[in-house]
Amino acid sequence: MPFKGTKGENLQISFDGTEYNSYLHQVRAEPDDGEDGDFITFANAATGDTSQWFLRGEMYDDYAADSLWTLAWENSGQVVPFLIKPYGNEVPSEAQPHFGGDVKISRKPGIGGEATVAHQTEIEWEIEGVPERIVA
């Protein structure tokens, strides 16, 4: 049976309209139910979505002005739009959707690392609400 899943080689991701594919080597938008006893509003409970969504992954550190690291550094604490294109297609469709929303960059990324290894920073940024599945 042929493979029916999605592989990451075509994935494209942008923040605030700029593509940053070459800076991330893994990325996931995923819900996290949190700890027992977390504060859940009546509105969240009514919609059935009681999870906080996060954009998680690892990015390569590059301190240049046009890098993802610099975007995170300069926008720490700010909300920026994101768009994930799992198939890399320009126009979303039912068969090849895009996913988007707004994400809050939690804190400034770290600086430095090991001498012979590419410097990396883990990201865990809160998504506002649930990502939208975009098909047209």
Side-chain angles (χ1 to χ4, degrees), residues 100-134:
D102 293 316
V103 66
K104 182 177 183 180
I105 298 174
S106 59
R107 61 179 183 260
K108 293 188 182 304
I111 303 164
E114 294 181 42
T116 60
V117 179
H119 298 178
Q120 300 176 42
T121 299
E122 288 185 21
I123 63 169
E124 182 176 273
W125 299 339
E126 287 186 17
I127 296 173
E128 293 194 340
V130 176
E132 177 184 5
R133 183 175 186 267
I134 305 163

Short mmCIF file of all heavy atoms in Angstrom, two decimals, residues 100-134:
data_model
loop_
_atom_site.label_atom_id
_atom_site.label_comp_id
_atom_site.label_asym_id
_atom_site.label_seq_id
_atom_site.Cartn_x
_atom_site.Cartn_y
_atom_site.Cartn_z
N GLY A 100 -3.27 28.26 9.56
CA GLY A 100 -2.77 29.56 9.96
C GLY A 100 -3.43 30.07 11.23
O GLY A 100 -4.40 29.49 11.72
N GLY A 101 -2.88 31.15 11.73
CA GLY A 101 -3.40 31.78 12.92
C GLY A 101 -2.43 32.83 13.42
O GLY A 101 -1.57 33.31 12.67
N ASP A 102 -2.57 33.13 14.69
CA ASP A 102 -1.69 34.11 15.34
C ASP A 102 -0.97 33.42 16.48
O ASP A 102 -1.56 32.63 17.22
CB ASP A 102 -2.50 35.29 15.88
CG ASP A 102 -3.10 36.12 14.77
OD1 ASP A 102 -2.39 36.40 13.79
OD2 ASP A 102 -4.28 36.49 14.87
N VAL A 103 0.31 33.72 16.63
CA VAL A 103 1.14 33.10 17.64
C VAL A 103 1.84 34.19 18.44
O VAL A 103 2.24 35.21 17.90
CB VAL A 103 2.15 32.12 16.99
CG1 VAL A 103 3.16 32.83 16.13
CG2 VAL A 103 2.85 31.27 18.02
N LYS A 104 1.94 33.96 19.76
CA LYS A 104 2.64 34.91 20.63
C LYS A 104 4.05 34.39 20.87
O LYS A 104 4.25 33.30 21.42
CB LYS A 104 1.92 35.06 21.97
CG LYS A 104 2.58 36.07 22.88
CD LYS A 104 1.82 36.28 24.16
CE LYS A 104 2.47 37.34 25.01
NZ LYS A 104 1.74 37.55 26.27
N ILE A 105 5.03 35.18 20.46
CA ILE A 105 6.43 34.82 20.66
C ILE A 105 6.73 35.03 22.14
O ILE A 105 6.66 36.14 22.64
CB ILE A 105 7.35 35.65 19.75
CG1 ILE A 105 7.01 35.34 18.30
CG2 ILE A 105 8.81 35.36 20.07
CD1 ILE A 105 7.74 36.19 17.29
N SER A 106 7.02 33.94 22.84
CA SER A 106 7.03 33.96 24.30
C SER A 106 8.18 34.74 24.93
O SER A 106 7.97 35.51 25.84
CB SER A 106 7.05 32.52 24.83
OG SER A 106 8.19 31.84 24.34
N ARG A 107 9.38 34.53 24.46
CA ARG A 107 10.53 35.21 25.07
C ARG A 107 11.66 35.28 24.05
O ARG A 107 11.64 34.60 23.04
CB ARG A 107 10.99 34.48 26.32
CG ARG A 107 11.46 33.06 26.06
CD ARG A 107 11.94 32.38 27.34
NE ARG A 107 12.44 31.06 27.07
CZ ARG A 107 11.77 29.94 27.26
NH1 ARG A 107 10.55 29.98 27.73
NH2 ARG A 107 12.31 28.77 26.98
N LYS A 108 12.65 36.08 24.36
CA LYS A 108 13.80 36.21 23.47
C LYS A 108 14.54 34.88 23.41
O LYS A 108 14.67 34.18 24.42
CB LYS A 108 14.74 37.31 23.97
CG LYS A 108 14.12 38.70 23.86
CD LYS A 108 15.14 39.77 24.17
CE LYS A 108 14.55 41.15 24.13
NZ LYS A 108 13.90 41.53 22.90
N PRO A 109 15.05 34.50 22.23
CA PRO A 109 15.79 33.25 22.10
C PRO A 109 17.18 33.36 22.72
O PRO A 109 17.71 34.46 22.89
CB PRO A 109 15.87 33.04 20.59
CG PRO A 109 15.76 34.41 20.02
CD PRO A 109 14.88 35.19 20.96
N GLY A 110 17.76 32.23 23.04
CA GLY A 110 19.10 32.18 23.61
C GLY A 110 20.18 32.52 22.59
O GLY A 110 19.92 32.64 21.39
N ILE A 111 21.39 32.65 23.10
CA ILE A 111 22.55 32.99 22.28
C ILE A 111 23.65 31.98 22.56
O ILE A 111 23.96 31.72 23.72
CB ILE A 111 23.06 34.41 22.60
CG1 ILE A 111 21.95 35.43 22.40
CG2 ILE A 111 24.29 34.75 21.76
CD1 ILE A 111 22.22 36.77 23.05
N GLY A 112 24.24 31.42 21.51
CA GLY A 112 25.40 30.56 21.67
C GLY A 112 25.09 29.08 21.72
O GLY A 112 23.94 28.67 21.60
N GLY A 113 26.17 28.28 21.87
CA GLY A 113 26.05 26.83 21.90
C GLY A 113 27.42 26.19 21.86
O GLY A 113 28.43 26.83 22.16
N GLU A 114 27.46 24.93 21.47
CA GLU A 114 28.72 24.17 21.43
C GLU A 114 29.59 24.61 20.26
O GLU A 114 29.10 25.09 19.25
CB GLU A 114 28.42 22.68 21.31
CG GLU A 114 27.71 22.11 22.52
CD GLU A 114 27.45 20.62 22.37
OE1 GLU A 114 28.34 19.90 21.87
OE2 GLU A 114 26.35 20.20 22.73
N ALA A 115 30.89 24.38 20.40
CA ALA A 115 31.87 24.86 19.41
C ALA A 115 31.70 24.22 18.04
O ALA A 115 31.84 24.89 17.02
CB ALA A 115 33.28 24.61 19.92
N THR A 116 31.40 22.94 17.96
CA THR A 116 31.38 22.25 16.67
C THR A 116 29.98 21.84 16.22
O THR A 116 29.84 21.05 15.29
CB THR A 116 32.26 20.98 16.74
OG1 THR A 116 31.74 20.13 17.76
CG2 THR A 116 33.71 21.32 17.04
N VAL A 117 28.97 22.38 16.84
CA VAL A 117 27.59 22.00 16.54
C VAL A 117 26.80 23.26 16.15
O VAL A 117 27.01 24.33 16.74
CB VAL A 117 26.92 21.34 17.77
CG1 VAL A 117 25.49 20.96 17.49
CG2 VAL A 117 27.71 20.12 18.21
N ALA A 118 25.91 23.12 15.19
CA ALA A 118 25.05 24.25 14.82
C ALA A 118 24.24 24.69 16.03
O ALA A 118 23.64 23.86 16.72
CB ALA A 118 24.12 23.85 13.68
N HIS A 119 24.23 25.96 16.32
CA HIS A 119 23.49 26.48 17.46
C HIS A 119 22.00 26.44 17.16
O HIS A 119 21.57 26.83 16.08
CB HIS A 119 23.93 27.90 17.80
CG HIS A 119 25.37 27.99 18.17
ND1 HIS A 119 25.97 29.18 18.47
CD2 HIS A 119 26.33 27.04 18.32
CE1 HIS A 119 27.23 28.97 18.78
NE2 HIS A 119 27.48 27.68 18.68
N GLN A 120 21.21 25.98 18.14
CA GLN A 120 19.78 25.82 17.97
C GLN A 120 19.04 26.36 19.19
O GLN A 120 19.59 26.41 20.28
CB GLN A 120 19.42 24.34 17.83
CG GLN A 120 20.07 23.65 16.68
CD GLN A 120 19.74 22.17 16.67
OE1 GLN A 120 18.61 21.80 16.93
NE2 GLN A 120 20.71 21.35 16.37
N THR A 121 17.79 26.73 18.97
CA THR A 121 16.92 27.19 20.04
C THR A 121 15.58 26.47 19.90
O THR A 121 15.03 26.42 18.80
CB THR A 121 16.69 28.71 19.96
OG1 THR A 121 17.94 29.38 20.10
CG2 THR A 121 15.73 29.19 21.04
N GLU A 122 15.09 25.92 21.00
CA GLU A 122 13.75 25.33 21.00
C GLU A 122 12.74 26.45 21.14
O GLU A 122 12.97 27.41 21.88
CB GLU A 122 13.59 24.35 22.16
CG GLU A 122 14.37 23.07 21.98
CD GLU A 122 14.09 22.06 23.08
OE1 GLU A 122 13.05 22.16 23.75
OE2 GLU A 122 14.93 21.17 23.24
N ILE A 123 11.63 26.32 20.40
CA ILE A 123 10.57 27.31 20.53
C ILE A 123 9.31 26.63 21.05
O ILE A 123 9.06 25.46 20.77
CB ILE A 123 10.27 28.05 19.20
CG1 ILE A 123 9.77 27.09 18.13
CG2 ILE A 123 11.48 28.82 18.73
CD1 ILE A 123 9.22 27.77 16.91
N GLU A 124 8.56 27.36 21.83
CA GLU A 124 7.24 26.95 22.29
C GLU A 124 6.43 28.22 22.44
O GLU A 124 6.51 28.91 23.45
CB GLU A 124 7.30 26.18 23.61
CG GLU A 124 5.91 25.73 24.03
CD GLU A 124 5.91 24.89 25.29
OE1 GLU A 124 6.09 23.66 25.17
OE2 GLU A 124 5.75 25.47 26.38
N TRP A 125 5.70 28.55 21.38
CA TRP A 125 4.95 29.79 21.32
C TRP A 125 3.46 29.48 21.35
O TRP A 125 2.97 28.61 20.63
CB TRP A 125 5.30 30.56 20.06
CG TRP A 125 6.76 30.95 19.96
CD1 TRP A 125 7.66 31.06 20.98
CD2 TRP A 125 7.47 31.30 18.78
NE1 TRP A 125 8.88 31.46 20.52
CE2 TRP A 125 8.80 31.60 19.16
CE3 TRP A 125 7.13 31.38 17.44
CZ2 TRP A 125 9.78 32.00 18.25
CZ3 TRP A 125 8.10 31.76 16.53
CH2 TRP A 125 9.40 32.07 16.93
N GLU A 126 2.71 30.21 22.17
CA GLU A 126 1.26 30.01 22.30
C GLU A 126 0.54 30.50 21.05
O GLU A 126 0.78 31.60 20.58
CB GLU A 126 0.71 30.77 23.50
CG GLU A 126 1.07 30.17 24.82
CD GLU A 126 0.37 30.87 25.99
OE1 GLU A 126 -0.62 31.60 25.76
OE2 GLU A 126 0.84 30.69 27.12
N ILE A 127 -0.35 29.65 20.56
CA ILE A 127 -1.22 30.03 19.45
C ILE A 127 -2.50 30.59 20.05
O ILE A 127 -3.04 30.03 21.00
CB ILE A 127 -1.53 28.81 18.56
CG1 ILE A 127 -0.24 28.31 17.90
CG2 ILE A 127 -2.59 29.16 17.51
CD1 ILE A 127 -0.41 27.00 17.14
N GLU A 128 -2.95 31.70 19.51
CA GLU A 128 -4.21 32.28 19.99
C GLU A 128 -5.37 31.49 19.39
O GLU A 128 -5.55 31.47 18.18
CB GLU A 128 -4.29 33.76 19.60
CG GLU A 128 -3.26 34.60 20.32
CD GLU A 128 -3.55 36.08 20.20
OE1 GLU A 128 -4.28 36.51 19.29
OE2 GLU A 128 -3.05 36.82 21.08
N GLY A 129 -6.11 30.81 20.25
CA GLY A 129 -7.22 30.00 19.79
C GLY A 129 -6.74 28.72 19.12
O GLY A 129 -5.71 28.16 19.49
N VAL A 130 -7.49 28.27 18.13
CA VAL A 130 -7.18 27.05 17.39
C VAL A 130 -6.77 27.45 15.98
O VAL A 130 -7.39 28.32 15.38
CB VAL A 130 -8.45 26.15 17.33
CG1 VAL A 130 -8.20 24.91 16.49
CG2 VAL A 130 -8.89 25.76 18.74
N PRO A 131 -5.71 26.83 15.43
CA PRO A 131 -5.31 27.18 14.06
C PRO A 131 -6.46 26.94 13.09
O PRO A 131 -7.26 26.03 13.26
CB PRO A 131 -4.16 26.22 13.75
CG PRO A 131 -3.64 25.80 15.09
CD PRO A 131 -4.82 25.81 16.01
N GLU A 132 -6.52 27.79 12.08
CA GLU A 132 -7.56 27.67 11.06
C GLU A 132 -7.08 26.74 9.95
O GLU A 132 -5.94 26.84 9.49
CB GLU A 132 -7.86 29.05 10.47
CG GLU A 132 -8.86 29.04 9.35
CD GLU A 132 -9.06 30.41 8.72
OE1 GLU A 132 -8.34 31.36 9.09
OE2 GLU A 132 -9.93 30.50 7.84
N ARG A 133 -7.94 25.82 9.52
CA ARG A 133 -7.66 24.96 8.36
C ARG A 133 -8.18 25.72 7.15
O ARG A 133 -9.37 25.96 6.99
CB ARG A 133 -8.36 23.62 8.49
CG ARG A 133 -8.08 22.66 7.38
CD ARG A 133 -8.73 21.30 7.66
NE ARG A 133 -8.37 20.32 6.68
CZ ARG A 133 -9.09 20.06 5.58
NH1 ARG A 133 -10.23 20.70 5.36
NH2 ARG A 133 -8.68 19.15 4.72
N ILE A 134 -7.25 26.11 6.27
CA ILE A 134 -7.58 26.95 5.12
C ILE A 134 -7.62 26.09 3.86
O ILE A 134 -6.62 25.44 3.52
CB ILE A 134 -6.55 28.08 4.97
CG1 ILE A 134 -6.45 28.88 6.27
CG2 ILE A 134 -6.88 28.99 3.79
CD1 ILE A 134 -5.21 29.73 6.40
#
